[in-house]
Amino acid sequence: MSSNRLILQDFMEASLVRAGALVERPEYGLLEAVLPDDLAKHFMSDHLVLAFDYEVAGEQPGSTFVTYGSNLLDKAIGLALNYGRFTDVYRTDISSTPPGNLEKKVRESLEFLRCRPPRVIHRWMVDHIFYEFNFRCVFRSYERSEALVTVVVDGYTGLLRPGFSGLWKNVVPREQPEHRLPRADTLPLPDLYRRAVQEAELQVRKKAEPLLRAADQLKERELAKISRYYEQTIREIQEKIFNTRDAGKKERLQKQLAATANDRRRRENDAAARYNVEVEARLDHLVAYHLPCVHIKLEVQHKNMFYNQIVVYNPYSNDVESPACPVCGGPARRLVPGDAGLLTCDRH
């Protein structure tokens, strides 16, 4: 499947998931989506089977072939444009009563070194926000390609949540919350954005590596071809200069030799520039995912000192999220008593 078809498939999947559909890739060149009621009205169906390869479409009865200019693609583009640059989506159809085994889950998920086992002293449900930064990346070299780089950052801790997108695929979002919950504290959005940019740069570099390797191979191949051609041409001119006794002709050949050397440098510079890889990345859109999570206040004792630590239980992943180390800001699964009454990661 061509890169353009892959872009179409990625775009359709991202648009449908963002709009609340459950989407799977059952096989090559195929998307299958189950649509909520409001989205079903937009596409006139609650179930879509989309093919992005003509042969795949022919092998899948009932599928719709999606290509540029198709009616279904136009509807998806209209849907994406309606969402704009920033979207809030909610998931609140969950019991407001936290599970009773939180203390056990905390002890299984986190390790408190040189401390007594943690004790839960308070727990409460909050509207916890995960921010999904979507960067549109354009790679320019001997060919042009695009990619969407997605980074999810926990608004409360500022930590990356790389598994969040896979978790959200099993969630049917809502445009309005079902219940009102107190909102969790969030870090300033510019700080979250800077963290997302750092991660996006790493992902973009990784995506650019195959293009860089291919471009280097093609550049070396073309430079070698240019070198062979001009070395042969220069040898022929030098032989003519050596064999001629005519001063005027020798002078013309000398000028031709200099012009050939200049032309060679120009051709080599052009070839090198043609295979340079340039990357342009910009924030395309931002999605704020609101999930009800349990915030747990722990009391941890080390000798005669007592430490308080807030951790987050995510009922959708059934996991206690890693807290952020107050020293380095990194994820801390193992915590140790530190200065100023704080628990830090074991690297400090």
Side-chain angles (χ1 to χ4, degrees), residues 230-248:
Y230 280 99
E231 285 176 1
Q232 176 64 30
T233 303
I234 288 170
R235 278 197 301 270
E236 292 174 356
I237 296 173
Q238 288 173 335
E239 287 178 4
K240 290 178 181 179
I241 293 173
F242 179 78
N243 293 326
T244 186
R245 296 180 180 275
D246 187 322

Side-chain angles (χ1 to χ4, degrees), residues 201-240:
E201 287 178 350
L202 295 176
Q203 292 191 33
V204 168
R205 290 179 186 275
K206 188 173 182 180
K207 286 181 178 292
E209 284 176 1
L211 181 60
L212 285 167
R213 287 195 297 269
D216 283 343
Q217 291 175 357
L218 291 172
K219 180 173 67 176
E220 292 303 318
R221 192 180 305 167
E222 184 162 342
L223 288 175
K225 184 178 179 181
I226 292 171
S227 179
R228 288 194 298 271
Y229 170 77
Y230 280 99
E231 285 176 1
Q232 176 64 30
T233 303
I234 288 170
R235 278 197 301 270
E236 292 174 356
I237 296 173
Q238 288 173 335
E239 287 178 4
K240 290 178 181 179

Side-chain angles (χ1 to χ4, degrees), residues 111-169:
E111 186 177 358
F112 296 86
L113 304 178
R114 304 194 300 274
C115 297
R116 291 181 181 274
R119 185 171 66 90
V120 175
I121 58 176
H122 186 43
R123 57 190 181 184
W124 64 102
M125 296 288 291
V126 296
D127 177 25
H128 198 100
I129 305 177
F130 298 85
Y131 288 96
E132 180 187 83
F133 296 86
N134 293 276
F135 298 89
R136 177 68 59 186
C137 303
V138 179
F139 301 87
R140 295 187 182 91
S141 183
Y142 59 95
E143 65 177 16
R144 183 182 186 277
S145 60
E146 294 189 15
L148 187 69
V149 171
T150 297
V151 179
V152 178
V153 183
D154 188 329
Y156 178 70
T157 63
L159 295 175
L160 301 174
R161 299 301 182 196
F164 183 86
S165 297
L167 174 67
W168 187 260
K169 285 184 178 181

Side-chain angles (χ1 to χ4, degrees), residues 74-304:
D74 290 342
K75 287 185 177 182
I77 292 172
L79 181 72
L81 290 174
N82 286 336
Y83 270 101
R85 297 297 184 186
F86 177 76
T87 308
D88 277 294
V89 290
Y90 298 85
R91 173 66 188 270
T92 56
D93 53 339
I94 188 170
S95 170
S96 59
T97 303
N101 61 340
L102 283 180
E103 200 164 279
K104 180 174 182 290
K105 285 189 174 295
V106 169
R107 293 177 181 178
E108 290 174 347
S109 302
L110 303 175
E111 186 177 358
F112 296 86
L113 304 178
R114 304 194 300 274
C115 297
R116 291 181 181 274
R119 185 171 66 90
V120 175
I121 58 176
H122 186 43
R123 57 190 181 184
W124 64 102
M125 296 288 291
V126 296
D127 177 25
H128 198 100
I129 305 177
F130 298 85
Y131 288 96
E132 180 187 83
F133 296 86
N134 293 276
F135 298 89
R136 177 68 59 186
C137 303
V138 179
F139 301 87
R140 295 187 182 91
S141 183
Y142 59 95
E143 65 177 16
R144 183 182 186 277
S145 60
E146 294 189 15
L148 187 69
V149 171
T150 297
V151 179
V152 178
V153 183
D154 188 329
Y156 178 70
T157 63
L159 295 175
L160 301 174
R161 299 301 182 196
F164 183 86
S165 297
L167 174 67
W168 187 260
K169 285 184 178 181
N170 300 318
V171 173
V172 179
R174 302 178 184 277
E175 294 186 359
Q176 297 294 329
E178 287 185 340
H179 309 288
R180 294 293 177 183
L181 292 171
R183 179 164 294 185
D185 293 336
T186 58
L187 297 173
L189 195 56
D191 294 346
L192 301 175
Y193 173 70
R194 281 191 288 271
R195 183 68 187 91
V197 167
Q198 292 173 355
E199 174 62 20
E201 287 178 350
L202 295 176
Q203 292 191 33
V204 168
R205 290 179 186 275
K206 188 173 182 180
K207 286 181 178 292
E209 284 176 1
L211 181 60
L212 285 167
R213 287 195 297 269
D216 283 343
Q217 291 175 357
L218 291 172
K219 180 173 67 176
E220 292 303 318
R221 192 180 305 167
E222 184 162 342
L223 288 175
K225 184 178 179 181
I226 292 171
S227 179
R228 288 194 298 271
Y229 170 77
Y230 280 99
E231 285 176 1
Q232 176 64 30
T233 303
I234 288 170
R235 278 197 301 270
E236 292 174 356
I237 296 173
Q238 288 173 335
E239 287 178 4
K240 290 178 181 179
I241 293 173
F242 179 78
N243 293 326
T244 186
R245 296 180 180 275
D246 187 322
K249 184 176 181 181
K250 182 173 289 191
E251 182 180 356
R252 290 194 298 273
L253 288 170
Q254 291 285 5
K255 291 180 179 179
Q256 183 181 352
L257 184 64
T260 301
N262 289 334
D263 190 53
R264 176 180 183 174
R265 284 192 293 272
R266 181 186 60 79
R267 288 278 304 276
E268 288 175 338
N269 290 337
D270 288 345
R274 186 181 311 117
Y275 293 105
N276 282 340
V277 178
E278 296 180 354
V279 182
E280 176 188 335
R282 61 177 176 81
L283 182 63
D284 185 77
H285 63 276
L286 173 65
V287 183
Y289 294 97
H290 297 253
L291 289 180
C293 292
V294 184
H295 279 210
I296 310 163
K297 186 175 183 179
L298 302 174
E299 183 181 78
V300 182
Q301 183 178 357
H302 168 68
K303 297 181 179 179
N304 62 342

